[in-house]
Amino acid sequence: MNAVAQPSALQVRAQDFLARYEGLKDRLPGDAAVRTAAAAAFARTGLPGPREEAWRYTSLRPLAEIGFREPLGPLADCAALLAGLPAIEGPRLVFVDGRFRADLSAVPSHVTVRTGTPAFGTLARLDEKLVTLNTMLAEDGATIDVAEGIDAGTLLLISLGSGSHSHPVAFHPRHALHLSPGASMTLIEIAMGAGTYLHNPVTSITVDAAATLTHLRIQNESPDAFHLSTVYADVGARGTYDSFALTLGGRLARMEVHAHLHGEKAAAHLNAAQLLGGNQHADFTTVVAHDAPATASRQTVKNVLTGHARGVFQGKIEVARVAQKTDGYQMNQALLLSPDAEIDSKPQLEIYADDVKCSHGATVGDLDPDQLFYLRSRGVAQAEARSILVRAFLSEALDPIVHEEARAAMETAITAWWERQSV
């Protein structure tokens, strides 16, 4: 008699998420038909597994071993978490456990902001499993519109995991941002929290002709949290999507960015830094599709890894036949400060045009012993010498950040992270 195959941990967790949807579907806001399609797709495909090429280096098994429930309500006292936020002035939208908190927010008056109903739009993207999960279970999110020619200044989008629940919780905010022609904005996203939770946000961004979005992200989640974010950026002619993501927190984190350059002379900058210690695992995955002539993309990703940490970079540049004069560049560099740390780097170029300039590269190493010796010989203590060299390594990634308060916040967060590793 043949033994009955037992479901894997990923399959069990996928069934749990489907059961949650069945219990919530009658009161979830937004397009019910889109959710039904997402649930059907998720029932077929489940969570991504290690046999999938895009998830070859990142296993969701640690997440699958935890049973998540929906948050009880956005009523938690977040005073301690709010006190730890970076000192950045400006209007802000605050989400606690995935739900908008008007009492903690300061909604800008010069842009249109809607909350309460997830904005699925045309980006259901049911081919991406985590996006499918988000589409199925999203309860809230921000929809932001910037009118033509408006300089909207700075807007903070803050997500807090309250840690106020007796059980692990999962939340799946769905955000959308549209910049009309000639508009500009700096969006600063900050993710922090306490306790064990899954934060699975999806953000769709549309940058119209000659518009510019500067998108800065600080991911400093709880050490026991899971951060799995997906961003889609559509960029029109002469538009610019300029982003930088700093990963510091979370037990397991993955930031995935899909940039589509569909207008002539559109540009995307997808820079990042991952600073990991202990048993942390973080993955920065990007896909840049050049689908118009004279488009440009730049990616510089820095990794500093200590302890048993593992970093992943997967960067793919796709150049369509029509995208002549494309200029694409990506570089991944890693400092391994422990013999047990690990980096997996997978740069890719897929080029169908014949008049392009595309390149990629990767470097892995420890701190330069000659530079350490030079600093030590001039009286600099060992810990301070290492700190100086790590900061110098990260400076290239931080240099393009012109928003002074955001850069100061990132430098402060990096200093705090380094001090924790040095204890």
Side-chain angles (χ1 to χ4, degrees):
M1 184 175 180
N2 294 331
V4 177
Q6 295 298 311
S8 69
L10 285 172
Q11 290 171 327
V12 170
R13 192 59 53 229
Q15 290 302 314
D16 284 350
F17 283 125
L18 283 166
R20 284 184 59 197
Y21 167 72
E22 289 298 324
L24 293 170
K25 63 181 181 181
D26 291 336
R27 57 187 177 90
L28 288 170
D31 191 330
V34 171
R35 291 189 188 275
T36 300
F42 192 74
R44 291 191 304 270
T45 63
L47 291 165
R51 293 185 179 180
E52 299 175 41
E53 185 61 29
W55 290 85
R56 178 180 176 185
Y57 303 111
T58 297
S59 170
L60 292 183
R61 186 174 180 83
L63 179 148
E65 293 171 349
I66 298 174
F68 295 96
R69 305 181 197 173
E70 66 272 14
L72 295 176
L75 302 176
D77 180 6
C78 298
L81 289 171
L82 291 169
L85 287 172
I88 302 176
E89 296 297 327
R92 60 185 56 195
L93 307 177
V94 179
F95 288 77
V96 178
D97 296 334
R99 296 171 183 171
F100 180 63
R101 286 282 296 266
D103 59 316
L104 303 178
S105 302
V107 179
S109 58
H110 51 287
V111 299
T112 302
V113 176
R114 297 181 298 279
T115 61
T117 300
F120 299 129
T122 58
L123 277 175
R125 298 302 297 260
L126 301 185
D127 55 329
E128 301 286 345
K129 295 180 180 180
L130 290 176
V131 178
T132 303
L133 175 62
N134 174 285
T135 305
M136 184 173 73
L137 288 173
E139 294 189 55
D140 207 341
T143 301
I144 304 162
D145 289 292
V146 183
E148 183 172 354
I150 295 295
D151 180 356
T154 298
L155 175 65
L156 281 73
L157 181 59
I158 298 169
S159 176
L160 302 177
S162 70
S164 63
H165 307 282
S166 60
H167 51 266
V169 298
F171 40 95
H172 313 266
R174 188 62 167 255
H175 306 301
L177 173 61
H178 178 207
L179 271 66
S180 297
S184 61
M185 170 182 272
T186 296
L187 178 68
I188 301 176
E189 279 195 65
I190 301 170
M192 300 173 59
T196 302
Y197 56 89
L198 165 62
H199 182 200
N200 176 35
V202 173
T203 304
S204 61
I205 295 169
T206 302
V207 180
D208 283 345
T212 299
L213 175 65
T214 300
H215 189 191
L216 307 176
R217 294 192 280 171
I218 302 175
Q219 188 277 96
N220 200 7
E221 305 271 24
S222 160
D224 298 316
F226 298 84
H227 178 99
L228 305 172
S229 64
T230 308
V231 172
Y232 294 100
D234 254 0
V235 188
R238 304 181 313 285
T240 300
Y241 175 64
D242 186 3
S243 74
F244 180 86
L246 174 64
T247 292
L248 300 166
R251 175 182 173 186
L252 187 155
R254 175 169 165 127
M255 288 185 169
E256 186 168 330
V257 183
H258 297 256
H260 180 210
L261 308 180
H262 62 83
E264 187 171 358
K265 297 185 179 179
H269 309 141
L270 309 180
N271 300 319
Q274 300 186 128
L275 281 65
L276 310 173
N279 293 302
Q280 284 182 284
H281 180 113
D283 179 334
F284 188 69
T285 291
T286 65
V287 179
V288 183
H290 293 260
D291 275 337
T295 51
S297 63
R298 292 287 183 273
Q299 299 175 70
T300 299
V301 180
K302 302 276 190 169
N303 306 268
V304 180
L305 311 177
T306 69
H308 291 79
R310 183 179 182 184
V312 177
F313 168 72
Q314 300 182 104
K316 185 176 184 180
I317 296 176
E318 301 172 343
V319 183
R321 190 176 302 277
V322 70
Q324 304 294 340
K325 304 295 183 182
T326 284
D327 184 355
Y329 168 83
Q330 60 180 206
M331 172 60 73
N332 179 45
Q333 296 177 310
L335 276 181
L336 304 185
L337 303 183
S338 161
D340 299 313
E342 179 182 340
I343 182 72
D344 295 293
S345 183
K346 185 186 175 186
Q348 296 175 270
L349 300 177
E350 188 175 294
I351 302 172
Y352 296 97
D354 55 16
D355 184 8
V356 303
K357 182 171 67 174
C358 293
S359 63
H360 62 71
T363 64
V364 181
D366 197 350
L367 294 175
D368 189 325
D370 291 337
Q371 294 177 345
L372 272 174
F373 176 79
Y374 176 85
L375 292 171
R376 293 299 310 281
S377 67
R378 275 144 182 81
V380 180
Q382 175 79 5
E384 180 62 20
R386 288 168 63 85
S387 177
I388 290 171
L389 293 180
V390 169
R391 286 179 171 279
F393 172 76
L394 292 171
S395 63
E396 180 185 357
L398 294 173
D399 280 347
I401 301 174
V402 297
H403 192 287
E404 294 182 3
E405 289 180 316
R407 174 161 179 163
M410 291 185 179
E411 290 176 343
T412 299
I414 290 171
T415 298
W417 177 87
W418 180 252
E419 290 174 349
R420 291 194 299 271
Q421 310 310 311
S422 304
V423 172

